[in-house]
Amino acid sequence: MRDFDYQRVYDVPGAVAVLGTDPDARYLGGGTNLVDLMKTGVERPALLVDVRELPLDHIETTADGGLRIGATVTNSDLAAHPDVRRRYPALTQAVLAGASGQLRNMATVGGNLLQRTRCGYFTDLSKPCNKRAPGTGCPAVEGEHHNHAILGATEHCVAVHPSDMGVALAALDAVVHYESADGPGESAFADFYLPVGDTPHLETALPAGALITGITLPPAPVAAHSRYRKVRERASYAFAIGSIAAALDVEDSVVREVRIAFGAVASRPWRAREAERVLTGGPATAEAFAAAADAELAAARALPHNGYKVTLLRNLVVAVLTELAEEAAR
Ligand SMILES: Cc1cc2nc3c(=O)[nH]c(=O)nc-3n(C[C@H](O)[C@H](O)[C@H](O)COP(=O)(O)OP(=O)(O)OC[C@H]3O[C@@H](n4cnc5c(N)ncnc54)[C@H](O)[C@@H]3O)c2cc1C
Ligand code: SF4
């Protein structure tokens, strides 16, 4: 591991000033992803700016009745918060589906959003990888890709975003807040992760050196009827091979409002807007849920070894929306 300097910061402007726009400096949250990448040499920062003493560890109700979640709130505290559990249950379920208790005690909201892909070529310095070393190629396209993207990918990168939490945030229309050298800014979650295009190394809309300060969740009554379901290759302690966050409001068997987001199918949490459009105002039946999934997944472009994800996601849509509709009918 490369030698590095370490500095703890105590206020937001100070953090941004210390990090500056130095491409060799990184903010340090829980370190559960960054330090692993430093050990393998994928990340080689010269300076770590520890953000965990910043006053960003609160969760509070906003003036409009939404929720503001600070960037250094741990995944454990986020999942356990009574307002999150009651008003946004899919978020609690998504966070608890990720990693282990020990990791969730360390991992922060900001770090979770910026964790890097688990593509094996990305972490193997002996292999080319456009995301790690732009212009070197993407061996996953013709190599090991059974857990890679079926939506929104290009030949330049087919990696998926690994976050469970982010899938719920996509369905909940979260807003990411940050502080940069130009002052505070924000990004709608839908715009936060950049399209892959031919620049997979450029992952988010954050300005250089920006510190994530928190996220807000707008008030959303539908979110009280939400759920997260994750499919993985073993029962615990594994990343998703497909997941869904969904919220459903049904009246007289008609869909009044629906939110759907997919995980582990694209370079970002994937909001299923086409499926939502097909369902809204129509019947809340298993047939309609399947048709909506098909409409969304018509855009899927599977590789030779990941076509199973299309069926997996279709089944997840039908299963989770059916459960939510049955609950609404009780
Ligand atoms: C064994 C294992 C299993 C896991 N399983 C899952 C899983 O199933 N699902 C899942 O979703 N995740 C899983 N994870 C990933 C884990 O959730 C992430 O490592 C964690 O959320 C990252 O948070 P952190 O605070 O530790 O980030 P760090 O490692 O500290 O940082 C990650 C990145 O974010 C940047 N950063 C951190 N905070 C800020 C900030 N406030 N502003 C700007 N940049 C910032 C850092 O510079 C770095 O680039 C797993 C991790 C491990 C090690
Ligand atoms: S899928 Fe992306 S991260 Fe994986 S090897 Fe290709 S370019 Fe690198």
Side-chain angles (χ1 to χ4, degrees), residues 54-285:
L54 294 176
L56 300 174
D57 60 346
H58 301 296
I59 298 178
E60 52 208 3
T61 301
T62 54
D64 66 358
L67 219 54
R68 167 109 187 179
I69 301 162
T72 62
V73 169
T74 64
N75 287 188
S76 295
D77 286 347
L78 174 62
H81 195 277
D83 281 339
V84 179
R85 291 167 54 128
R86 186 171 50 85
R87 293 161 56 194
Y88 306 95
L91 180 54
T92 286
Q93 293 164 16
V95 173
L96 292 179
S100 65
Q102 293 95 327
L103 285 159
R104 292 193 296 270
N105 287 342
M106 290 298 292
T108 62
V109 166
N112 191 300
L113 295 179
L114 296 185
Q115 63 174 299
R116 310 298 301 277
T117 183
R118 296 280 159 166
C119 173
Y121 300 106
F122 175 73
T123 47
D124 182 347
L125 295 187
S126 72
K127 300 290 191 304
C129 168
N130 283 330
K131 190 182 277 296
R132 172 171 39 77
T136 55
C138 176
V141 171
E142 296 191 349
E144 169 52 50
H145 57 236
H146 83 282
N147 193 21
H148 283 58
I150 56 169
L151 289 163
T154 71
E155 73 274 22
H156 300 285
C157 181
V158 292
V160 296
H161 197 277
S163 174
D164 291 297
M165 183 181 89
V167 184
L169 295 180
L172 296 172
D173 283 334
V175 176
V176 181
H177 301 269
Y178 59 82
E179 182 87 13
S180 75
D182 296 329
E186 63 181 43
S187 169
F189 206 74
D191 304 323
F192 183 67
Y193 296 104
L194 302 176
V196 181
D198 58 0
T199 54
H201 59 294
L202 303 177
E203 296 184 341
T204 74
L206 280 178
L211 171 81
I212 296 177
T213 52
I215 52 179
T216 47
L217 302 179
V222 69
H225 311 286
S226 65
R227 182 156 303 176
Y228 184 74
R229 173 120 351 127
K230 171 176 179 177
V231 178
R232 43 191 156 178
E233 288 176 334
R234 58 174 187 233
S236 76
Y237 210 41
F239 288 88
I241 56 172
S243 70
I244 181 172
L248 185 66
D249 180 10
V250 174
E251 192 173 287
D252 297 332
S253 302
V254 171
V255 175
R256 281 176 15 143
E257 185 178 356
V258 60
R259 311 271 190 92
I260 305 170
F262 298 154
V265 292
S267 64
R268 54 171 134 175
W270 185 267
R271 183 72 179 265
R273 299 253 179 218
E274 180 60 15
E276 294 176 3
R277 191 190 64 73
V278 167
L279 280 172
T280 306
T285 61

Side-chain angles (χ1 to χ4, degrees), residues 32-55:
T32 61
N33 187 222
L34 179 58
V35 174
D36 277 357
L37 293 174
M38 288 167 64
K39 288 179 190 165
T40 55
V42 174
E43 289 273 13
R44 294 172 44 79
L47 170 65
L48 290 185
V49 179
D50 188 339
V51 302
R52 284 173 298 179
E53 297 296 324
L54 294 176

